[in-house]
Amino acid sequence: MKRSTRLIHNRAGTGPRRTVNPPLEHASTIILPDAASLYSQNPAYGRMGLSVHQELEAALCTLEKADFTRLTPSGLSACAVAAAALVKAGDRILVSDSIYGPSRRFCERRLKRMGVESERFDPRNLGQIEMLMSEGAAAIFLESPGSLTFEISDTPAIVTLARAHNVKTIMDNTWSAGVFCQPLDLGVDVSVQALTKYVVGHADAFGGAVMTSDPGIVREIRDLTEDWGISIGPDDAYSALRGTRTLETRLSQHQASALQLANWLSGVPGVNQVIHPALPSHPDHALWLRDFSGSSGLFGFLLDASNQSELDAFLGALELFKLGFSWGGFESLIIPCDAQLTRLKSDWTSEKNGHLLRVHAGLEDPDDLIADFQLGFDALSRKKNT
Ligand SMILES: *Cc1c(COP(=O)(O)O)cnc(C)c1O
């Protein structure tokens, strides 16, 4: 069966009544069948997961072609678990200049206090990556496309270097939702996702997942999440599981709408550059074509605004595009990104011309979204002419 079918029919169908969806158990205590079970190595306890967690983990294993999935309470905690599971005091972790800011901060602030050094790298500079690996590193943390700036890494080449230098690889796969990219197929050791984004899909719950097929890493992630007491409540797991049923269908509309918007924006005088890996104008378009089977609803563009008040005029005129963090839900969002960029190894500013905006194309009719953008561009040109 194809993946979309398996994501719908992955129910065990157990329990007193056969329901389409799993029963939603709310439980800390699980009543054990007999006294002997009290002394078994892994006595059942709610924190280790209930039926809904097991079904969600199975769905995510299907999606990411992984043997093992561990759920976490947020996307950020998934990133933190993946990084922390692969390092110990005295190690070094290589961190992409373009990964999600809070993941970078976890490595640079939290792991540092645990005796782990972090070193940044430019996700497009294989020579630099090889040099850093040859100096010694336990793990490398990638995100492709990069958060906010959408660089596509040459992941298979980085994996080859990593294996040669005994470095474990982590990739944040939230952008593709596991629908358009399977990092483990590209040789990556650990894939992570913020389920909060596309898997939940309705901007109403948090969740994260860490996926791997490496038995040694499975052990590390199990131990670490047990030691830290990491678990996710059944309601949030349920929201994520429900999202898996419609994930591919939603993603194909997010993809189509984002492409329509990106193509339209490419022809607008108020836009200096559209940054979308599926456009041939993107510098890493060939890598995207090779490693991804599609694109999601998130992309960027450089607005031709020469100061803050022009930027504010554009944003203030939008009605459908809401201003807000996160993405992946049914609603369209836009945020200015300049303040969130911190680059140490790659020079983003030199190629930059205008204000960087990140767009999430929601599930509204794309014609209405284009009309909304037009309101913004009209307000921008009025501002420029005053
Ligand atoms: C949002 C996001 C996260 C964090 O997810 P939360 O659920 O908000 O903690 C991690 N990585 C990427 C790429 C994200 O976009």
Side-chain angles (χ1 to χ4, degrees), residues 40-70:
S40 74
Q41 264 214 315
N42 281 309
Y45 186 44
R47 198 172 56 223
M48 280 84 180
L50 305 160
S51 347
V52 66
H53 300 88
Q54 282 158 9
E55 292 206 18
L56 176 58
E57 286 170 359
L60 294 168
C61 284
T62 300
L63 195 61
E64 295 256 355
K65 298 198 198 153
D67 292 345
F68 172 85
T69 295
R70 186 81 214 189

Side-chain angles (χ1 to χ4, degrees), residues 2 20 27 40-41 77 93-94 126 145 173 186 193 202 213 241 308 310 343 364 380:
K2 296 269 205 273
V20 168
S40 74
Q41 264 214 315
S77 54
I93 185 167
L94 307 180
L126 285 173
N173 193 30
L186 299 177
Q193 267 202 56
H202 293 71
S213 295
L241 179 64
Q308 187 70 37
E310 289 181 12
R343 293 297 150 120
E364 302 93 338
L380 176 63

